[in-house]
Amino acid sequence: MDLPPGPRAPAAWQTVAWMARPAAFMRRIHERFGDPVTIRMYWTDEPMVLFSHPDAVREIFKLDPAIAPAGQSWEFLRPFAGEHSILLLDGDEHMRERRAMQVPFHGERMRAFGPVIAGLARRELSTWSGRVTTLDRMRELTLEIILRVVLGARGDDETARLRHAVDTTLESVRSMPRMLSMALVQRDLGPRSPWGRFRIAVERFDALLLDIVARRRADPGDDSVLSFLLEQRDEQGRPPSDRHLRDQLVALLVGGHDSSASALAWAFERLARHPSVHARLRDGDPAYLEAVVKESLRARPSLTIAPRRLLAPVEIAGHRIPAGVQVAACIWLALRREDLWPDASAFRPERWLEGPRPNPLSWIPFGGGVRRCTGAPFAEMEMREVLRAAADLRIRPVRPEPERARRSMLVVVPDRGGEVLVG
Ligand code: HEM
């Protein structure tokens, strides 16, 4: 069966372009082949068809998980994510897990985290002066936020130990080619081999997480996400096992750390090059702040695709796609379609305040359907709090030209780490 057209270059070449210059690669293939377009990556024999039109995006997000599971696309994360992970589950089990994990990130419970986040953001920003690599700083801040809010880390000692363990573990996971090759090989050639080192880091990390879980079971007395997860009960009234809680915490770490850090680094990258937008933030208008967050996630989304693996043939936007192929809503392309976002490459928060609200199926930085990011309201709140705290900062770009995009594990980050000059 014929797939939509796409580059004929070898999978290895496409993979290099996809990793090293993702924005340029997607722009080029879109200009050359239109929508949809079929690409090939070296780590899998399955081609991937990228769609960006809202009608196709709607169909992808509505696909039955029984024939288009999303969990299978993250299979390579299993050694770290764990067997109970929401990222890997599909069907009823996935929906149960989703319900449990969504609650602490919504409504009053979530808003209660606002002041904690604002305090941590102010503390971080007060240390900035001279040349600052915002991606590094935001990785530290978003991790600190997760440790305090999700794990309920208490005191500087506990937080420092956890931070060190997470950093070491994520370092081995952050390089996607390395993670993929390790997941494929999975041969323990001793503690110095990549897989051996990874196993040891995960074991140390798990020991720390299980220790926190045990201590919180004994004394849950705080309002962290973990203390809420401890209250879950299944249909038989049983509490979650330690391994299950461990997998939930890892999913929140994997889902919520690098993605938020890169989204914030991009926001600084954009603000430094748009001083009038930054100046308007100082007026303290909450609607404008929200527009800046939405526009930043539109102009520089931190994830580029929401993939689903097809177990049966389906028709999407009139294209018959066979089983064994991956289809993806291409977040990056959907957010820059000129027909939906006039002057799409411009960073213009005003577009959110003037004229009609955009079609929700074209603003998809958090994916959609039954896999839509469960942390989305939290992530947006986190961005608002950090940017509010940054309103009075004086920042300039180190170089005037916009930073290019490159991949770091699953997310797309500014090539130079969102460098700014502060002061
Ligand atoms: C700006 C920051 C963030 C972005 C851009 C982002 C984006 C995404 C995207 C695109 C997906 C996949 C959706 C799909 O396949 O349709 C996802 C899933 C997920 N995200 Fe986020 N995310 C962010 C922050 C967070 C935070 C802060 C958390 C939690 C603390 C989180 C937890 C998750 C989880 C658990 C999933 C899996 C949902 C499922 O499979 O049902 N994310 N995110």
Side-chain angles (χ1 to χ4, degrees), residues 2 37 48 66 68 70 79 87 103 127 142 150 177 180 194 196 214 235 239 268 288 317 344 361 372 378 387 394:
D2 282 347
V37 52
M48 184 187 287
L87 303 169
V103 182
T127 66
T142 55
V150 175
L180 283 162
E235 289 88 4
F268 282 111
Y288 193 71
L361 283 160
R372 187 173 192 271
F378 181 81
L387 296 187
R394 303 279 152 188

mmCIF file with all atom_site columns, all heavy atoms in Angstrom, residues 2 37 48 66 68 70 79 87 103 127 142 150 177 180 194 196 214 235 239 268 288 317 344 361 372 378 387 394:
data_model
loop_
_atom_site.group_PDB
_atom_site.id
_atom_site.type_symbol
_atom_site.label_atom_id
_atom_site.label_alt_id
_atom_site.label_comp_id
_atom_site.label_asym_id
_atom_site.label_entity_id
_atom_site.label_seq_id
_atom_site.pdbx_PDB_ins_code
_atom_site.Cartn_x
_atom_site.Cartn_y
_atom_site.Cartn_z
_atom_site.occupancy
_atom_site.B_iso_or_equiv
_atom_site.pdbx_formal_charge
_atom_site.auth_seq_id
_atom_site.auth_comp_id
_atom_site.auth_asym_id
_atom_site.auth_atom_id
_atom_site.pdbx_PDB_model_num
ATOM 1   N N   . ASP A 1 2   ? 0.511   2.250  -0.814 1.00 0.00 ? 2   ASP A N   1
ATOM 2   C CA  . ASP A 1 2   ? 1.333   3.462  -0.902 1.00 0.00 ? 2   ASP A CA  1
ATOM 3   C C   . ASP A 1 2   ? 1.118   4.359  0.306  1.00 0.00 ? 2   ASP A C   1
ATOM 4   O O   . ASP A 1 2   ? -0.010  4.654  0.673  1.00 0.00 ? 2   ASP A O   1
ATOM 5   C CB  . ASP A 1 2   ? 0.948   4.248  -2.162 1.00 0.00 ? 2   ASP A CB  1
ATOM 6   C CG  . ASP A 1 2   ? 1.552   3.620  -3.397 1.00 0.00 ? 2   ASP A CG  1
ATOM 7   O OD1 . ASP A 1 2   ? 2.438   2.759  -3.234 1.00 0.00 ? 2   ASP A OD1 1
ATOM 8   O OD2 . ASP A 1 2   ? 1.117   3.989  -4.509 1.00 0.00 ? 2   ASP A OD2 1
ATOM 9   N N   . VAL A 1 37  ? 3.144   13.731 5.471  1.00 0.00 ? 37  VAL A N   1
ATOM 10  C CA  . VAL A 1 37  ? 4.466   13.376 4.951  1.00 0.00 ? 37  VAL A CA  1
ATOM 11  C C   . VAL A 1 37  ? 4.964   12.150 5.730  1.00 0.00 ? 37  VAL A C   1
ATOM 12  O O   . VAL A 1 37  ? 4.685   12.019 6.923  1.00 0.00 ? 37  VAL A O   1
ATOM 13  C CB  . VAL A 1 37  ? 5.432   14.583 5.072  1.00 0.00 ? 37  VAL A CB  1
ATOM 14  C CG1 . VAL A 1 37  ? 5.443   15.154 6.479  1.00 0.00 ? 37  VAL A CG1 1
ATOM 15  C CG2 . VAL A 1 37  ? 6.864   14.225 4.670  1.00 0.00 ? 37  VAL A CG2 1
ATOM 16  N N   . MET A 1 48  ? 6.843   6.583  9.793  1.00 0.00 ? 48  MET A N   1
ATOM 17  C CA  . MET A 1 48  ? 5.919   7.396  10.571 1.00 0.00 ? 48  MET A CA  1
ATOM 18  C C   . MET A 1 48  ? 5.295   8.453  9.660  1.00 0.00 ? 48  MET A C   1
ATOM 19  O O   . MET A 1 48  ? 6.015   9.150  8.938  1.00 0.00 ? 48  MET A O   1
ATOM 20  C CB  . MET A 1 48  ? 6.646   8.081  11.726 1.00 0.00 ? 48  MET A CB  1
ATOM 21  C CG  . MET A 1 48  ? 5.688   8.863  12.608 1.00 0.00 ? 48  MET A CG  1
ATOM 22  S SD  . MET A 1 48  ? 6.515   9.842  13.861 1.00 0.00 ? 48  MET A SD  1
ATOM 23  C CE  . MET A 1 48  ? 7.055   8.598  14.989 1.00 0.00 ? 48  MET A CE  1
ATOM 24  N N   . ALA A 1 66  ? -7.341  0.624  21.138 1.00 0.00 ? 66  ALA A N   1
ATOM 25  C CA  . ALA A 1 66  ? -7.141  -0.806 20.871 1.00 0.00 ? 66  ALA A CA  1
ATOM 26  C C   . ALA A 1 66  ? -6.435  -1.015 19.533 1.00 0.00 ? 66  ALA A C   1
ATOM 27  O O   . ALA A 1 66  ? -5.714  -1.995 19.354 1.00 0.00 ? 66  ALA A O   1
ATOM 28  C CB  . ALA A 1 66  ? -8.482  -1.533 20.885 1.00 0.00 ? 66  ALA A CB  1
ATOM 29  N N   . ALA A 1 68  ? -4.789  1.777  17.957 1.00 0.00 ? 68  ALA A N   1
ATOM 30  C CA  . ALA A 1 68  ? -3.715  2.772  17.833 1.00 0.00 ? 68  ALA A CA  1
ATOM 31  C C   . ALA A 1 68  ? -3.153  3.104  19.205 1.00 0.00 ? 68  ALA A C   1
ATOM 32  O O   . ALA A 1 68  ? -3.293  4.220  19.687 1.00 0.00 ? 68  ALA A O   1
ATOM 33  C CB  . ALA A 1 68  ? -4.251  4.026  17.152 1.00 0.00 ? 68  ALA A CB  1
ATOM 34  N N   . ALA A 1 70  ? -0.856  4.297  22.156 1.00 0.00 ? 70  ALA A N   1
ATOM 35  C CA  . ALA A 1 70  ? 0.243   5.266  22.239 1.00 0.00 ? 70  ALA A CA  1
ATOM 36  C C   . ALA A 1 70  ? 1.350   4.709  23.114 1.00 0.00 ? 70  ALA A C   1
ATOM 37  O O   . ALA A 1 70  ? 2.523   5.007  22.921 1.00 0.00 ? 70  ALA A O   1
ATOM 38  C CB  . ALA A 1 70  ? -0.261  6.584  22.803 1.00 0.00 ? 70  ALA A CB  1
ATOM 39  N N   . PRO A 1 79  ? 12.550  0.250  30.649 1.00 0.00 ? 79  PRO A N   1
ATOM 40  C CA  . PRO A 1 79  ? 13.518  -0.073 31.710 1.00 0.00 ? 79  PRO A CA  1
ATOM 41  C C   . PRO A 1 79  ? 13.588  1.003  32.793 1.00 0.00 ? 79  PRO A C   1
ATOM 42  O O   . PRO A 1 79  ? 13.937  0.712  33.923 1.00 0.00 ? 79  PRO A O   1
ATOM 43  C CB  . PRO A 1 79  ? 14.853  -0.156 30.964 1.00 0.00 ? 79  PRO A CB  1
ATOM 44  C CG  . PRO A 1 79  ? 14.504  -0.336 29.528 1.00 0.00 ? 79  PRO A CG  1
ATOM 45  C CD  . PRO A 1 79  ? 13.168  0.282  29.318 1.00 0.00 ? 79  PRO A CD  1
ATOM 46  N N   . LEU A 1 87  ? 2.753   5.998  30.950 1.00 0.00 ? 87  LEU A N   1
ATOM 47  C CA  . LEU A 1 87  ? 3.300   6.271  29.623 1.00 0.00 ? 87  LEU A CA  1
ATOM 48  C C   . LEU A 1 87  ? 3.217   5.036  28.736 1.00 0.00 ? 87  LEU A C   1
ATOM 49  O O   . LEU A 1 87  ? 3.101   5.133  27.517 1.00 0.00 ? 87  LEU A O   1
ATOM 50  C CB  . LEU A 1 87  ? 4.765   6.720  29.731 1.00 0.00 ? 87  LEU A CB  1
ATOM 51  C CG  . LEU A 1 87  ? 5.029   7.950  30.602 1.00 0.00 ? 87  LEU A CG  1
ATOM 52  C CD1 . LEU A 1 87  ? 6.516   8.139  30.847 1.00 0.00 ? 87  LEU A CD1 1
ATOM 53  C CD2 . LEU A 1 87  ? 4.436   9.200  29.962 1.00 0.00 ? 87  LEU A CD2 1
ATOM 54  N N   . VAL A 1 103 ? -6.028  14.135 39.032 1.00 0.00 ? 103 VAL A N   1
ATOM 55  C CA  . VAL A 1 103 ? -6.694  14.901 40.089 1.00 0.00 ? 103 VAL A CA  1
ATOM 56  C C   . VAL A 1 103 ? -5.778  15.915 40.790 1.00 0.00 ? 103 VAL A C   1
ATOM 57  O O   . VAL A 1 103 ? -6.134  17.088 40.905 1.00 0.00 ? 103 VAL A O   1
ATOM 58  C CB  . VAL A 1 103 ? -7.350  13.936 41.109 1.00 0.00 ? 103 VAL A CB  1
ATOM 59  C CG1 . VAL A 1 103 ? -8.076  14.716 42.183 1.00 0.00 ? 103 VAL A CG1 1
ATOM 60  C CG2 . VAL A 1 103 ? -8.291  12.993 40.389 1.00 0.00 ? 103 VAL A CG2 1
ATOM 61  N N   . THR A 1 127 ? 19.376  35.003 41.727 1.00 0.00 ? 127 THR A N   1
ATOM 62  C CA  . THR A 1 127 ? 20.805  34.670 41.601 1.00 0.00 ? 127 THR A CA  1
ATOM 63  C C   . THR A 1 127 ? 21.336  35.004 40.195 1.00 0.00 ? 127 THR A C   1
ATOM 64  O O   . THR A 1 127 ? 22.514  34.841 39.931 1.00 0.00 ? 127 THR A O   1
ATOM 65  C CB  . THR A 1 127 ? 21.053  33.159 41.843 1.00 0.00 ? 127 THR A CB  1
ATOM 66  O OG1 . THR A 1 127 ? 20.412  32.418 40.776 1.00 0.00 ? 127 THR A OG1 1
ATOM 67  C CG2 . THR A 1 127 ? 20.497  32.697 43.180 1.00 0.00 ? 127 THR A CG2 1
ATOM 68  N N   . THR A 1 142 ? 12.781  23.531 37.581 1.00 0.00 ? 142 THR A N   1
ATOM 69  C CA  . THR A 1 142 ? 11.609  22.659 37.416 1.00 0.00 ? 142 THR A CA  1
ATOM 70  C C   . THR A 1 142 ? 11.807  21.352 38.191 1.00 0.00 ? 142 THR A C   1
ATOM 71  O O   . THR A 1 142 ? 10.843  20.766 38.671 1.00 0.00 ? 142 THR A O   1
ATOM 72  C CB  . THR A 1 142 ? 11.298  22.363 35.931 1.00 0.00 ? 142 THR A CB  1
ATOM 73  O OG1 . THR A 1 142 ? 12.466  21.820 35.304 1.00 0.00 ? 142 THR A OG1 1
ATOM 74  C CG2 . THR A 1 142 ? 10.863  23.607 35.192 1.00 0.00 ? 142 THR A CG2 1
ATOM 75  N N   . VAL A 1 150 ? 5.754   17.449 43.995 1.00 0.00 ? 150 VAL A N   1
ATOM 76  C CA  . VAL A 1 150 ? 5.317   16.072 43.728 1.00 0.00 ? 150 VAL A CA  1
ATOM 77  C C   . VAL A 1 150 ? 5.777   15.136 44.848 1.00 0.00 ? 150 VAL A C   1
ATOM 78  O O   . VAL A 1 150 ? 4.980   14.405 45.434 1.00 0.00 ? 150 VAL A O   1
ATOM 79  C CB  . VAL A 1 150 ? 5.830   15.581 42.347 1.00 0.00 ? 150 VAL A CB  1
ATOM 80  C CG1 . VAL A 1 150 ? 5.470   14.120 42.128 1.00 0.00 ? 150 VAL A CG1 1
ATOM 81  C CG2 . VAL A 1 150 ? 5.227   16.432 41.241 1.00 0.00 ? 150 VAL A CG2 1
ATOM 82  N N   . PRO A 1 177 ? 19.455  8.648  21.547 1.00 0.00 ? 177 PRO A N   1
ATOM 83  C CA  . PRO A 1 177 ? 20.121  7.551  20.828 1.00 0.00 ? 177 PRO A CA  1
ATOM 84  C C   . PRO A 1 177 ? 20.737  6.551  21.807 1.00 0.00 ? 177 PRO A C   1
ATOM 85  O O   . PRO A 1 177 ? 20.652  5.342  21.628 1.00 0.00 ? 177 PRO A O   1
ATOM 86  C CB  . PRO A 1 177 ? 21.210  8.256  20.027 1.00 0.00 ? 177 PRO A CB  1
ATOM 87  C CG  . PRO A 1 177 ? 20.767  9.664  19.903 1.00 0.00 ? 177 PRO A CG  1
ATOM 88  C CD  . PRO A 1 177 ? 19.948  9.958  21.125 1.00 0.00 ? 177 PRO A CD  1
ATOM 89  N N   . LEU A 1 180 ? 17.986  4.536  23.412 1.00 0.00 ? 180 LEU A N   1
ATOM 90  C CA  . LEU A 1 180 ? 17.434  3.574  22.463 1.00 0.00 ? 180 LEU A CA  1
ATOM 91  C C   . LEU A 1 180 ? 18.380  2.412  22.244 1.00 0.00 ? 180 LEU A C   1
ATOM 92  O O   . LEU A 1 180 ? 17.970  1.248  22.252 1.00 0.00 ? 180 LEU A O   1
ATOM 93  C CB  . LEU A 1 180 ? 17.174  4.262  21.117 1.00 0.00 ? 180 LEU A CB  1
ATOM 94  C CG  . LEU A 1 180 ? 15.921  5.125  21.082 1.00 0.00 ? 180 LEU A CG  1
ATOM 95  C CD1 . LEU A 1 180 ? 15.972  6.086  19.904 1.00 0.00 ? 180 LEU A CD1 1
ATOM 96  C CD2 . LEU A 1 180 ? 14.689  4.240  20.996 1.00 0.00 ? 180 LEU A CD2 1
ATOM 97  N N   . PRO A 1 194 ? 27.572  1.018  29.307 1.00 0.00 ? 194 PRO A N   1
ATOM 98  C CA  . PRO A 1 194 ? 26.454  1.966  29.398 1.00 0.00 ? 194 PRO A CA  1
ATOM 99  C C   . PRO A 1 194 ? 25.234  1.354  30.090 1.00 0.00 ? 194 PRO A C   1
ATOM 100 O O   . PRO A 1 194 ? 24.626  1.971  30.966 1.00 0.00 ? 194 PRO A O   1
ATOM 101 C CB  . PRO A 1 194 ? 26.143  2.289  27.938 1.00 0.00 ? 194 PRO A CB  1
ATOM 102 C CG  . PRO A 1 194 ? 27.396  1.990  27.199 1.00 0.00 ? 194 PRO A CG  1
ATOM 103 C CD  . PRO A 1 194 ? 28.098  0.895  27.956 1.00 0.00 ? 194 PRO A CD  1
ATOM 104 N N   . GLY A 1 196 ? 25.130  -1.235 32.123 1.00 0.00 ? 196 GLY A N   1
ATOM 105 C CA  . GLY A 1 196 ? 25.464  -1.512 33.524 1.00 0.00 ? 196 GLY A CA  1
ATOM 106 C C   . GLY A 1 196 ? 25.362  -0.242 34.363 1.00 0.00 ? 196 GLY A C   1
ATOM 107 O O   . GLY A 1 196 ? 24.760  -0.231 35.436 1.00 0.00 ? 196 GLY A O   1
ATOM 108 N N   . ALA A 1 214 ? 8.129   5.064  51.661 1.00 0.00 ? 214 ALA A N   1
ATOM 109 C CA  . ALA A 1 214 ? 7.958   4.444  52.979 1.00 0.00 ? 214 ALA A CA  1
ATOM 110 C C   . ALA A 1 214 ? 7.790   5.517  54.056 1.00 0.00 ? 214 ALA A C   1
ATOM 111 O O   . ALA A 1 214 ? 6.934   5.424  54.928 1.00 0.00 ? 214 ALA A O   1
ATOM 112 C CB  . ALA A 1 214 ? 9.155   3.550  53.292 1.00 0.00 ? 214 ALA A CB  1
ATOM 113 N N   . GLU A 1 235 ? -10.457 -0.912 42.953 1.00 0.00 ? 235 GLU A N   1
ATOM 114 C CA  . GLU A 1 235 ? -11.861 -1.332 43.132 1.00 0.00 ? 235 GLU A CA  1
ATOM 115 C C   . GLU A 1 235 ? -12.041 -2.197 44.379 1.00 0.00 ? 235 GLU A C   1
ATOM 116 O O   . GLU A 1 235 ? -13.118 -2.244 44.963 1.00 0.00 ? 235 GLU A O   1
ATOM 117 C CB  . GLU A 1 235 ? -12.373 -2.119 41.916 1.00 0.00 ? 235 GLU A CB  1
ATOM 118 C CG  . GLU A 1 235 ? -12.598 -1.288 40.668 1.00 0.00 ? 235 GLU A CG  1
ATOM 119 C CD  . GLU A 1 235 ? -11.327 -1.187 39.833 1.00 0.00 ? 235 GLU A CD  1
ATOM 120 O OE1 . GLU A 1 235 ? -10.309 -1.830 40.187 1.00 0.00 ? 235 GLU A OE1 1
ATOM 121 O OE2 . GLU A 1 235 ? -11.342 -0.456 38.832 1.00 0.00 ? 235 GLU A OE2 1
ATOM 122 N N   . PRO A 1 239 ? -4.653  -0.112 48.684 1.00 0.00 ? 239 PRO A N   1
ATOM 123 C CA  . PRO A 1 239 ? -3.773  1.018  48.340 1.00 0.00 ? 239 PRO A CA  1
ATOM 124 C C   . PRO A 1 239 ? -2.766  0.605  47.261 1.00 0.00 ? 239 PRO A C   1
ATOM 125 O O   . PRO A 1 239 ? -2.534  -0.590 47.051 1.00 0.00 ? 239 PRO A O   1
ATOM 126 C CB  . PRO A 1 239 ? -3.050  1.324  49.661 1.00 0.00 ? 239 PRO A CB  1
ATOM 127 C CG  . PRO A 1 239 ? -3.085  0.041  50.426 1.00 0.00 ? 239 PRO A CG  1
ATOM 128 C CD  . PRO A 1 239 ? -4.307  -0.706 49.991 1.00 0.00 ? 239 PRO A CD  1
ATOM 129 N N   . PHE A 1 268 ? 12.230  32.369 27.630 1.00 0.00 ? 268 PHE A N   1
ATOM 130 C CA  . PHE A 1 268 ? 13.274  33.385 27.854 1.00 0.00 ? 268 PHE A CA  1
ATOM 131 C C   . PHE A 1 268 ? 13.963  33.742 26.532 1.00 0.00 ? 268 PHE A C   1
ATOM 132 O O   . PHE A 1 268 ? 14.283  34.900 26.286 1.00 0.00 ? 268 PHE A O   1
ATOM 133 C CB  . PHE A 1 268 ? 14.296  32.891 28.886 1.00 0.00 ? 268 PHE A CB  1
ATOM 134 C CG  . PHE A 1 268 ? 13.784  33.004 30.299 1.00 0.00 ? 268 PHE A CG  1
ATOM 135 C CD1 . PHE A 1 268 ? 13.477  31.883 31.053 1.00 0.00 ? 268 PHE A CD1 1
ATOM 136 C CD2 . PHE A 1 268 ? 13.599  34.252 30.874 1.00 0.00 ? 268 PHE A CD2 1
ATOM 137 C CE1 . PHE A 1 268 ? 12.996  31.994 32.352 1.00 0.00 ? 268 PHE A CE1 1
ATOM 138 C CE2 . PHE A 1 268 ? 13.116  34.375 32.170 1.00 0.00 ? 268 PHE A CE2 1
ATOM 139 C CZ  . PHE A 1 268 ? 12.812  33.248 32.908 1.00 0.00 ? 268 PHE A CZ  1
ATOM 140 N N   . TYR A 1 288 ? -2.562  39.140 29.686 1.00 0.00 ? 288 TYR A N   1
ATOM 141 C CA  . TYR A 1 288 ? -1.381  39.227 28.817 1.00 0.00 ? 288 TYR A CA  1
ATOM 142 C C   . TYR A 1 288 ? -0.361  38.146 29.178 1.00 0.00 ? 288 TYR A C   1
ATOM 143 O O   . TYR A 1 288 ? 0.225   37.507 28.308 1.00 0.00 ? 288 TYR A O   1
ATOM 144 C CB  . TYR A 1 288 ? -0.754  40.626 28.905 1.00 0.00 ? 288 TYR A CB  1
ATOM 145 C CG  . TYR A 1 288 ? 0.250   40.848 27.794 1.00 0.00 ? 288 TYR A CG  1
ATOM 146 C CD1 . TYR A 1 288 ? -0.166  41.010 26.476 1.00 0.00 ? 288 TYR A CD1 1
ATOM 147 C CD2 . TYR A 1 288 ? 1.616   40.851 28.059 1.00 0.00 ? 288 TYR A CD2 1
ATOM 148 C CE1 . TYR A 1 288 ? 0.749   41.171 25.450 1.00 0.00 ? 288 TYR A CE1 1
ATOM 149 C CE2 . TYR A 1 288 ? 2.544   41.017 27.035 1.00 0.00 ? 288 TYR A CE2 1
ATOM 150 C CZ  . TYR A 1 288 ? 2.103   41.181 25.736 1.00 0.00 ? 288 TYR A CZ  1
ATOM 151 O OH  . TYR A 1 288 ? 3.010   41.332 24.710 1.00 0.00 ? 288 TYR A OH  1
ATOM 152 N N   . ALA A 1 317 ? -8.032  11.447 7.332  1.00 0.00 ? 317 ALA A N   1
ATOM 153 C CA  . ALA A 1 317 ? -8.172  12.552 6.369  1.00 0.00 ? 317 ALA A CA  1
ATOM 154 C C   . ALA A 1 317 ? -8.103  12.036 4.921  1.00 0.00 ? 317 ALA A C   1
ATOM 155 O O   . ALA A 1 317 ? -7.409  12.613 4.080  1.00 0.00 ? 317 ALA A O   1
ATOM 156 C CB  . ALA A 1 317 ? -7.098  13.614 6.629  1.00 0.00 ? 317 ALA A CB  1
ATOM 157 N N   . ALA A 1 344 ? 2.780   33.025 11.114 1.00 0.00 ? 344 ALA A N   1
ATOM 158 C CA  . ALA A 1 344 ? 3.016   31.984 12.125 1.00 0.00 ? 344 ALA A CA  1
ATOM 159 C C   . ALA A 1 344 ? 4.395   32.056 12.769 1.00 0.00 ? 344 ALA A C   1
ATOM 160 O O   . ALA A 1 344 ? 4.545   31.706 13.941 1.00 0.00 ? 344 ALA A O   1
ATOM 161 C CB  . ALA A 1 344 ? 2.810   30.610 11.497 1.00 0.00 ? 344 ALA A CB  1
ATOM 162 N N   . LEU A 1 361 ? -7.936  22.453 18.077 1.00 0.00 ? 361 LEU A N   1
ATOM 163 C CA  . LEU A 1 361 ? -7.207  21.362 17.419 1.00 0.00 ? 361 LEU A CA  1
ATOM 164 C C   . LEU A 1 361 ? -5.987  21.853 16.652 1.00 0.00 ? 361 LEU A C   1
ATOM 165 O O   . LEU A 1 361 ? -5.277  21.064 16.032 1.00 0.00 ? 361 LEU A O   1
ATOM 166 C CB  . LEU A 1 361 ? -8.130  20.604 16.485 1.00 0.00 ? 361 LEU A CB  1
ATOM 167 C CG  . LEU A 1 361 ? -9.047  19.669 17.262 1.00 0.00 ? 361 LEU A CG  1
ATOM 168 C CD1 . LEU A 1 361 ? -10.254 19.302 16.444 1.00 0.00 ? 361 LEU A CD1 1
ATOM 169 C CD2 . LEU A 1 361 ? -8.292  18.416 17.700 1.00 0.00 ? 361 LEU A CD2 1
ATOM 170 N N   . ARG A 1 372 ? -3.785  13.209 26.199 1.00 0.00 ? 372 ARG A N   1
ATOM 171 C CA  . ARG A 1 372 ? -3.364  14.601 26.408 1.00 0.00 ? 372 ARG A CA  1
ATOM 172 C C   . ARG A 1 372 ? -2.622  14.717 27.741 1.00 0.00 ? 372 ARG A C   1
ATOM 173 O O   . ARG A 1 372 ? -2.984  14.060 28.724 1.00 0.00 ? 372 ARG A O   1
ATOM 174 C CB  . ARG A 1 372 ? -4.577  15.541 26.411 1.00 0.00 ? 372 ARG A CB  1
ATOM 175 C CG  . ARG A 1 372 ? -4.180  16.997 26.441 1.00 0.00 ? 372 ARG A CG  1
ATOM 176 C CD  . ARG A 1 372 ? -5.380  17.919 26.280 1.00 0.00 ? 372 ARG A CD  1
ATOM 177 N NE  . ARG A 1 372 ? -4.913  19.281 26.029 1.00 0.00 ? 372 ARG A NE  1
ATOM 178 C CZ  . ARG A 1 372 ? -4.659  20.169 26.989 1.00 0.00 ? 372 ARG A CZ  1
ATOM 179 N NH1 . ARG A 1 372 ? -4.859  19.853 28.249 1.00 0.00 ? 372 ARG A NH1 1
ATOM 180 N NH2 . ARG A 1 372 ? -4.225  21.379 26.686 1.00 0.00 ? 372 ARG A NH2 1
ATOM 181 N N   . PHE A 1 378 ? -0.947  22.288 35.237 1.00 0.00 ? 378 PHE A N   1
ATOM 182 C CA  . PHE A 1 378 ? 0.165   22.558 36.147 1.00 0.00 ? 378 PHE A CA  1
ATOM 183 C C   . PHE A 1 378 ? 1.312   23.243 35.392 1.00 0.00 ? 378 PHE A C   1
ATOM 184 O O   . PHE A 1 378 ? 1.882   24.228 35.851 1.00 0.00 ? 378 PHE A O   1
ATOM 185 C CB  . PHE A 1 378 ? 0.636   21.246 36.773 1.00 0.00 ? 378 PHE A CB  1
ATOM 186 C CG  . PHE A 1 378 ? 1.758   21.414 37.756 1.00 0.00 ? 378 PHE A CG  1
ATOM 187 C CD1 . PHE A 1 378 ? 1.497   21.811 39.049 1.00 0.00 ? 378 PHE A CD1 1
ATOM 188 C CD2 . PHE A 1 378 ? 3.072   21.174 37.384 1.00 0.00 ? 378 PHE A CD2 1
ATOM 189 C CE1 . PHE A 1 378 ? 2.538   21.973 39.963 1.00 0.00 ? 378 PHE A CE1 1
ATOM 190 C CE2 . PHE A 1 378 ? 4.110   21.329 38.288 1.00 0.00 ? 378 PHE A CE2 1
ATOM 191 C CZ  . PHE A 1 378 ? 3.836   21.731 39.587 1.00 0.00 ? 378 PHE A CZ  1
ATOM 192 N N   . LEU A 1 387 ? 7.329   33.321 34.769 1.00 0.00 ? 387 LEU A N   1
ATOM 193 C CA  . LEU A 1 387 ? 7.425   34.527 33.939 1.00 0.00 ? 387 LEU A CA  1
ATOM 194 C C   . LEU A 1 387 ? 6.955   35.764 34.696 1.00 0.00 ? 387 LEU A C   1
ATOM 195 O O   . LEU A 1 387 ? 7.489   36.856 34.521 1.00 0.00 ? 387 LEU A O   1
ATOM 196 C CB  . LEU A 1 387 ? 6.642   34.354 32.634 1.00 0.00 ? 387 LEU A CB  1
ATOM 197 C CG  . LEU A 1 387 ? 7.175   33.251 31.712 1.00 0.00 ? 387 LEU A CG  1
ATOM 198 C CD1 . LEU A 1 387 ? 6.456   33.260 30.385 1.00 0.00 ? 387 LEU A CD1 1
ATOM 199 C CD2 . LEU A 1 387 ? 8.686   33.372 31.489 1.00 0.00 ? 387 LEU A CD2 1
ATOM 200 N N   . ARG A 1 394 ? 16.068  42.399 33.735 1.00 0.00 ? 394 ARG A N   1
ATOM 201 C CA  . ARG A 1 394 ? 16.533  43.046 32.487 1.00 0.00 ? 394 ARG A CA  1
ATOM 202 C C   . ARG A 1 394 ? 17.304  41.992 31.725 1.00 0.00 ? 394 ARG A C   1
ATOM 203 O O   . ARG A 1 394 ? 18.358  41.549 32.196 1.00 0.00 ? 394 ARG A O   1
ATOM 204 C CB  . ARG A 1 394 ? 17.456  44.223 32.778 1.00 0.00 ? 394 ARG A CB  1
ATOM 205 C CG  . ARG A 1 394 ? 16.854  45.286 33.653 1.00 0.00 ? 394 ARG A CG  1
ATOM 206 C CD  . ARG A 1 394 ? 15.950  46.215 32.856 1.00 0.00 ? 394 ARG A CD  1
ATOM 207 N NE  . ARG A 1 394 ? 14.901  46.753 33.741 1.00 0.00 ? 394 ARG A NE  1
ATOM 208 C CZ  . ARG A 1 394 ? 13.875  47.464 33.347 1.00 0.00 ? 394 ARG A CZ  1
ATOM 209 N NH1 . ARG A 1 394 ? 13.696  47.731 32.060 1.00 0.00 ? 394 ARG A NH1 1
ATOM 210 N NH2 . ARG A 1 394 ? 12.981  47.911 34.208 1.00 0.00 ? 394 ARG A NH2 1
#
